[in-house]
Amino acid sequence: PSLTADALATVALPVRLMVGDRDTTVTLEETAAAYRALPRGELAVLPRTPHPLEQADVVRLAGALADFLRHADAPDATR
């Protein structure tokens, strides 16, 4: 409940939200709404991925994290 759109709008750091396309705990719509509220937000949807992190494809997850970390300090030109 404390993660309202207003609260997320105050986060100045780059943030990449990731959700699995088979997640039944957090919906893609909920995650996309949070992403849209973040000034420097990014959204990644992991294919064939349920909610528990231990069930995610480790190579795909590591690649998404590495990509984010490589570009996190770059100025945001996409939004």
Side-chain angles (χ1 to χ4, degrees), residues 9-38:
T10 66
V11 178
L13 299 172
V15 175
R16 177 175 286 180
L17 299 179
M18 291 191 278
V19 64
D21 65 348
R22 296 182 183 168
D23 194 324
T24 58
T25 302
V26 180
T27 68
L28 177 56
E29 292 77 20
E30 290 170 320
T31 307
Y35 146 75
R36 285 190 294 271
L38 290 161

Side-chain angles (χ1 to χ4, degrees), residues 4 12 31 36 39 42 44 51 56 66 68 70-71 74 76-77:
T4 64
T31 307
R36 285 190 294 271
E42 297 181 10
H51 184 79
F68 172 72
R70 271 194 303 275
H71 301 100
D76 187 11

Side-chain angles (χ1 to χ4, degrees), residues 48-79:
R48 298 179 304 281
T49 304
H51 184 79
L53 184 60
E54 63 271 10
Q55 293 184 30
D57 178 319
V58 176
V59 173
R60 181 174 284 127
L61 181 61
L65 290 170
D67 176 69
F68 172 72
L69 293 172
R70 271 194 303 275
H71 301 100
D73 289 332
D76 187 11
T78 61
R79 290 183 81 177

